[in-house]
Amino acid sequence: MDDSELDRRIVLATQAGLPLTVEPFQAIGEALGEQPGRILERFRAMQADGRVRRIAAVPNHYALGYTANGMSVWDVDDEQVDALGEQLGHMDCVTHCYRRPRRLPLWPYNLFAMVHGHTREEVLARVAEIHALLGAACRAHDVLFSTAILKKTGLRIGA
Protein backbone atom coordinates (compact mmCIF):
# COMPACT_ATOMS: atom_id res chain seq x y z
CA MET A 1 0.00 0.00 0.00
CA ASP A 2 1.49 3.39 -0.96
CA ASP A 3 1.83 6.20 1.58
CA SER A 4 -1.08 8.19 0.16
CA GLU A 5 -3.53 5.30 0.46
CA LEU A 6 -2.22 4.37 3.90
CA ASP A 7 -2.60 7.97 5.07
CA ARG A 8 -6.20 7.99 3.90
CA ARG A 9 -6.91 4.69 5.66
CA ILE A 10 -5.25 5.96 8.85
CA VAL A 11 -7.44 9.06 8.83
CA LEU A 12 -10.54 6.94 8.24
CA ALA A 13 -9.57 4.61 11.07
CA THR A 14 -8.86 7.42 13.55
CA GLN A 15 -11.21 10.26 12.66
CA ALA A 16 -13.51 9.36 15.56
CA GLY A 17 -10.50 9.14 17.88
CA LEU A 18 -7.53 6.94 18.61
CA PRO A 19 -8.28 3.48 19.99
CA LEU A 20 -8.52 3.61 23.79
CA THR A 21 -5.71 1.20 24.47
CA VAL A 22 -2.21 1.34 25.90
CA GLU A 23 -0.77 0.97 22.39
CA PRO A 24 -3.07 2.78 19.97
CA PHE A 25 -0.64 2.71 17.05
CA GLN A 26 -0.37 -1.07 17.41
CA ALA A 27 -4.17 -1.36 17.33
CA ILE A 28 -4.37 0.83 14.23
CA GLY A 29 -1.61 -1.19 12.58
CA GLU A 30 -3.42 -4.44 13.31
CA ALA A 31 -6.67 -3.03 11.90
CA LEU A 32 -4.94 -1.87 8.72
CA GLY A 33 -2.51 -4.76 8.33
CA GLU A 34 0.55 -2.55 8.88
CA GLN A 35 3.37 -2.40 11.41
CA PRO A 36 2.83 0.10 14.24
CA GLY A 37 6.12 1.78 13.39
CA ARG A 38 4.85 2.56 9.89
CA ILE A 39 1.60 3.97 11.33
CA LEU A 40 3.57 6.23 13.65
CA GLU A 41 5.89 7.22 10.79
CA ARG A 42 2.89 8.24 8.64
CA PHE A 43 1.36 10.26 11.52
CA ARG A 44 4.68 12.09 11.89
CA ALA A 45 4.78 12.75 8.14
CA MET A 46 1.22 14.10 8.20
CA GLN A 47 2.11 16.34 11.14
CA ALA A 48 5.26 17.55 9.38
CA ASP A 49 3.38 18.62 6.26
CA GLY A 50 0.42 20.06 8.17
CA ARG A 51 -2.27 17.51 7.31
CA VAL A 52 -2.46 16.62 10.99
CA ARG A 53 -1.94 19.53 13.34
CA ARG A 54 -1.74 17.64 16.58
CA ILE A 55 -2.67 14.47 18.41
CA ALA A 56 -4.17 15.22 21.78
CA ALA A 57 -6.72 14.11 24.31
CA VAL A 58 -10.01 16.02 24.30
CA PRO A 59 -11.54 15.55 27.73
CA ASN A 60 -15.26 15.76 28.25
CA HIS A 61 -15.26 18.21 31.14
CA TYR A 62 -18.92 17.58 31.94
CA ALA A 63 -18.30 13.82 32.29
CA LEU A 64 -15.45 14.65 34.67
CA GLY A 65 -17.77 16.76 36.82
CA TYR A 66 -16.58 20.16 35.62
CA THR A 67 -19.97 21.64 34.82
CA ALA A 68 -19.21 25.33 35.42
CA ASN A 69 -16.92 26.26 32.56
CA GLY A 70 -16.08 29.86 31.95
CA MET A 71 -14.12 31.62 29.26
CA SER A 72 -12.49 34.55 31.02
CA VAL A 73 -11.84 37.48 28.71
CA TRP A 74 -9.37 40.23 29.45
CA ASP A 75 -8.54 43.65 28.09
CA VAL A 76 -4.81 44.07 28.53
CA ASP A 77 -2.18 46.25 26.89
CA ASP A 78 -1.29 44.91 23.43
CA GLU A 79 2.42 45.27 24.21
CA GLN A 80 2.04 42.99 27.22
CA VAL A 81 -0.56 40.53 25.96
CA ASP A 82 1.88 37.85 24.78
CA ALA A 83 3.89 37.82 28.01
CA LEU A 84 0.73 37.86 30.11
CA GLY A 85 -0.79 35.09 28.04
CA GLU A 86 2.32 32.98 28.65
CA GLN A 87 1.86 33.46 32.38
CA LEU A 88 -1.83 32.58 32.28
CA GLY A 89 -1.12 29.54 30.14
CA HIS A 90 1.09 28.15 32.90
CA MET A 91 -1.57 28.49 35.59
CA ASP A 92 -3.05 25.15 36.69
CA CYS A 93 -6.58 26.55 36.48
CA VAL A 94 -6.24 27.63 32.82
CA THR A 95 -6.76 24.83 30.30
CA HIS A 96 -6.15 26.95 27.23
CA CYS A 97 -5.30 30.56 26.60
CA TYR A 98 -5.04 32.62 23.45
CA ARG A 99 -4.96 36.10 21.98
CA ARG A 100 -7.74 37.48 19.78
CA PRO A 101 -8.18 40.85 18.10
CA ARG A 102 -10.49 43.34 19.76
CA ARG A 103 -13.81 44.15 18.03
CA LEU A 104 -14.31 47.73 19.12
CA PRO A 105 -16.40 49.44 20.25
CA LEU A 106 -18.37 46.44 21.58
CA TRP A 107 -15.63 43.96 22.40
CA PRO A 108 -12.48 45.34 24.08
CA TYR A 109 -11.01 41.97 25.09
CA ASN A 110 -7.80 40.65 23.56
CA LEU A 111 -6.79 37.81 25.91
CA PHE A 112 -8.86 34.68 26.56
CA ALA A 113 -8.31 32.02 29.24
CA MET A 114 -10.59 29.00 29.75
CA VAL A 115 -11.28 28.01 33.34
CA HIS A 116 -13.16 24.84 34.33
CA GLY A 117 -14.74 24.19 37.71
CA HIS A 118 -17.37 22.21 39.55
CA THR A 119 -19.28 25.37 40.45
CA ARG A 120 -19.49 28.94 39.19
CA GLU A 121 -18.07 30.10 42.51
CA GLU A 122 -15.01 27.90 41.97
CA VAL A 123 -14.50 29.35 38.50
CA LEU A 124 -14.95 32.91 39.78
CA ALA A 125 -12.36 32.27 42.52
CA ARG A 126 -9.89 31.13 39.86
CA VAL A 127 -10.72 34.15 37.72
CA ALA A 128 -9.91 36.31 40.77
CA GLU A 129 -6.49 34.61 40.88
CA ILE A 130 -5.96 35.51 37.22
CA HIS A 131 -7.07 39.08 37.91
CA ALA A 132 -4.57 39.34 40.75
CA LEU A 133 -1.81 38.07 38.46
CA LEU A 134 -2.68 40.58 35.73
CA GLY A 135 -2.83 43.43 38.24
CA ALA A 136 -2.70 46.89 36.74
CA ALA A 137 -2.25 45.45 33.24
CA CYS A 138 -5.96 44.47 33.30
CA ARG A 139 -8.27 47.26 32.17
CA ALA A 140 -11.48 45.17 32.07
CA HIS A 141 -12.59 41.58 32.16
CA ASP A 142 -15.63 39.31 32.10
CA VAL A 143 -16.47 35.60 32.31
CA LEU A 144 -18.63 33.88 29.74
CA PHE A 145 -20.06 30.69 31.22
CA SER A 146 -20.92 27.78 28.95
CA THR A 147 -24.64 27.15 28.51
CA ALA A 148 -24.43 24.23 26.09
CA ILE A 149 -22.11 21.37 25.28
CA LEU A 150 -20.60 21.77 21.85
CA LYS A 151 -19.18 18.61 20.36
CA LYS A 152 -15.58 18.99 19.24
CA THR A 153 -14.61 16.99 16.20
CA GLY A 154 -11.55 16.79 14.07
CA LEU A 155 -11.10 15.97 10.42
CA ARG A 156 -13.86 13.88 8.87
CA ILE A 157 -13.65 12.36 5.39
CA GLY A 158 -15.90 9.88 3.63
CA ALA A 159 -14.84 6.28 3.07
Side-chain angles (χ1 to χ4, degrees):
M1 178 178 338
D2 69 20
D3 289 348
S4 177
E5 178 58 24
L6 179 57
D7 292 351
R8 179 175 168 70
R9 293 182 65 194
I10 290 171
V11 170
L12 285 170
T14 61
Q15 61 188 355
L18 291 177
L20 295 177
T21 177
V22 175
E23 297 187 35
F25 300 108
Q26 170 113 14
I28 297 166
E30 288 172 6
L32 300 180
E34 291 288 344
Q35 294 296 314
R38 185 153 186 242
I39 300 299
L40 190 55
E41 169 193 305
R42 294 311 310 152
F43 265 118
R44 287 183 177 138
M46 288 189 279
Q47 281 187 287
D49 67 19
R51 288 179 289 158
V52 171
R53 286 190 303 167
R54 66 184 177 129
I55 299 169
V58 180
N60 179 336
H61 293 95
Y62 285 88
L64 296 172
Y66 293 95
T67 56
N69 306 302
M71 177 59 76
S72 63
V73 293
W74 306 89
D75 175 16
V76 298
D77 188 312
D78 285 331
E79 292 184 16
Q80 296 180 283
V81 67
D82 291 336
L84 294 169
E86 285 284 328
Q87 291 180 39
L88 297 190
H90 286 97
M91 294 180 76
D92 288 341
C93 67
V94 174
T95 57
H96 53 283
C97 178
Y98 48 89
R99 178 183 189 175
R100 292 270 190 220
R102 293 182 173 87
R103 299 293 182 215
L104 298 173
L106 300 175
W107 190 257
Y109 308 109
N110 59 343
L111 181 60
F112 295 63
M114 189 70 195
V115 178
H116 299 279
H118 296 91
T119 65
R120 283 186 177 224
E121 291 74 23
E122 183 181 346
V123 170
L124 291 173
R126 291 177 175 169
V127 168
E129 292 174 25
I130 295 170
H131 194 224
L133 184 142
L134 295 175
C138 175
R139 295 184 287 237
H141 76 283
D142 203 346
V143 181
L144 311 171
F145 282 97
S146 300
T147 58
I149 300 172
L150 303 176
K151 181 168 175 43
K152 298 176 186 176
T153 61
L155 173 67
R156 297 283 193 263
I157 60 174

